[in-house]
Amino acid sequence: MQRRARAWRGENLRVAFVPTMGYLHAGHLSLVRRARQRAGAAGRVVVSIYVNPTQFGPNEDLSRYPRDFARDSRLCRAAGVDVLFAPADGEMYPAGEAGPYSTYVVEETLSRGMEGSSRPTHFRGVTTVVAKLFNLVLPDVAVFGAKDFQQASVIRKMVRDLNFPVRVEVAPTHREADGLAMSSRNKYLTPEQRAQAVVLSQAWRRAREIVAQGAVPVPVLQAELADFIAARPGARLDYIEIFDPETLAPLAQAAPGARLALAVFFGKTRLIDNETI
Ligand code: PAF
């Protein structure tokens, strides 16, 4: 991958990159379209598919994470992707002569709250694998989805702090007709859970309506939304945070322009969503 990327650079071709964990859906394909716009017709679009073990906690869904390489491959071909890069675990985290893999990238501020407190080792795995992928693909631009808003902020910060010569772009969340954010994990939902999962987007819409009437103390809004979610049988709230979209710092008052993020369990499946309220 790196040899090819260096050759493209030698030919002055723009490289746009979409890192994924596969099981592609329409949301991923919208990122690929954005990547093609950024690369231009003459440039190169690379998609990576790698279910990165270091970003999963010990009791998370690494082994059952959905995979369908043949289908992903067809979708990438149809979307005009130039290279589908799908490395194996042994290539990404090799045990070498000097012992097992032992180098990690850690962002220490933006990664602390929300997903970082519910999944303590998650962002260390994300920043490490994205740094490695950037070094392999050598992209000019990398496109991430806003559904993982905190992830995009952490990666932007890593890029700035470590001087990666990559522009990070964040594309809007792609949603099903009823508002559910597209995610490979939606596949885990039973039909009943799928019907209830719409509560995530209903919650931020409700928050939008509330703050449109005037600013509210965050604990009041959190309590109201927690009740709203608890009214759905089968939904178990993990967190709701209202924060500054630049610093990710929690806010005391919820007002228009703040960002809301939430995580909700349906059985063992944990879904996230976020939007500006
Ligand atoms: O968002 C994802 O799919 C993953 O976290 C990423 C960025 C591909 C890193 O494994």
Side-chain angles (χ1 to χ4, degrees), residues 12-270:
N12 265 332
L13 296 173
R14 272 186 86 66
V15 179
F17 176 41
V18 182
T20 82
M21 298 207 300
Y23 211 71
L24 303 179
H25 50 66
H28 293 115
L29 298 178
S30 73
L31 306 183
V32 171
R33 282 195 297 276
R34 170 81 70 109
R36 171 54 67 197
Q37 280 166 5
R38 296 304 177 255
R44 296 290 183 264
V45 171
V46 179
V47 169
S48 66
I49 294 186
Y50 181 58
V51 182
N52 171 38
T54 63
Q55 69 189 76
F56 288 77
N59 299 316
E60 294 183 3
D61 55 345
L62 173 61
S63 60
R64 65 189 188 110
Y65 195 84
R67 294 162 166 89
D68 189 342
F69 187 75
R71 180 173 166 276
D72 288 347
S73 182
R74 279 196 303 275
L75 288 171
C76 284
R77 201 180 288 274
V81 169
D82 294 296
V83 168
L84 173 52
F85 176 51
D89 285 343
E91 291 171 303
M92 290 301 272
Y93 298 107
E97 277 162 20
Y101 184 90
S102 59
T103 303
Y104 292 88
V105 178
V106 179
E107 192 288 324
E108 297 199 324
T109 307
L110 305 182
S111 62
R112 285 279 156 86
M114 299 188 278
E115 290 303 286
S117 35
S118 290
R119 307 179 66 192
T121 55
H122 173 66
F123 283 121
R124 177 181 100 134
V126 170
T127 41
T128 299
V129 82
V130 172
K132 286 169 69 67
L133 290 167
F134 282 178
N135 283 332
L136 291 164
V137 176
L138 305 175
D140 297 288
V141 184
V143 189
F144 294 85
K147 198 202 61 142
D148 297 295
F149 187 85
Q150 185 180 14
Q151 167 173 282
S153 305
V154 168
I155 289 167
R156 266 208 172 112
K157 186 72 164 57
M158 175 190 82
V159 161
R160 256 198 314 268
D161 287 351
L162 297 183
N163 310 100
F164 279 95
V166 178
R167 200 173 80 228
V168 171
E169 282 208 20
V170 182
T173 302
H174 227 70
R175 297 184 179 279
E176 305 284 356
D178 66 356
L180 178 67
M182 287 192 187
S183 162
S184 306
R185 288 190 168 99
N186 293 349
K187 175 188 161 58
Y188 299 144
L189 300 170
T190 64
E192 297 74 36
Q193 290 170 336
R194 170 63 190 83
Q196 290 170 1
V198 69
V199 76
L200 282 102
S201 64
Q202 286 172 338
W204 60 254
R205 284 181 215 277
R206 174 117 196 80
R208 238 182 220 175
E209 282 162 19
I210 293 170
V211 301
Q213 313 291 314
V216 229
V218 162
V220 172
L221 183 60
Q222 282 170 319
E224 158 112 22
L225 297 176
D227 287 347
F228 181 70
I229 291 164
R232 298 278 167 152
R236 183 165 58 82
L237 180 63
D238 184 6
Y239 67 77
I240 300 181
E241 295 290 346
I242 290 124
F243 56 94
D244 179 294
E246 292 302 320
T247 63
L248 308 194
L251 296 171
Q253 288 284 110
R259 195 100 188 170
L260 180 150
L262 76 170
V264 179
F265 281 99
F266 299 88
K268 282 202 271 186
T269 304
R270 184 173 174 281

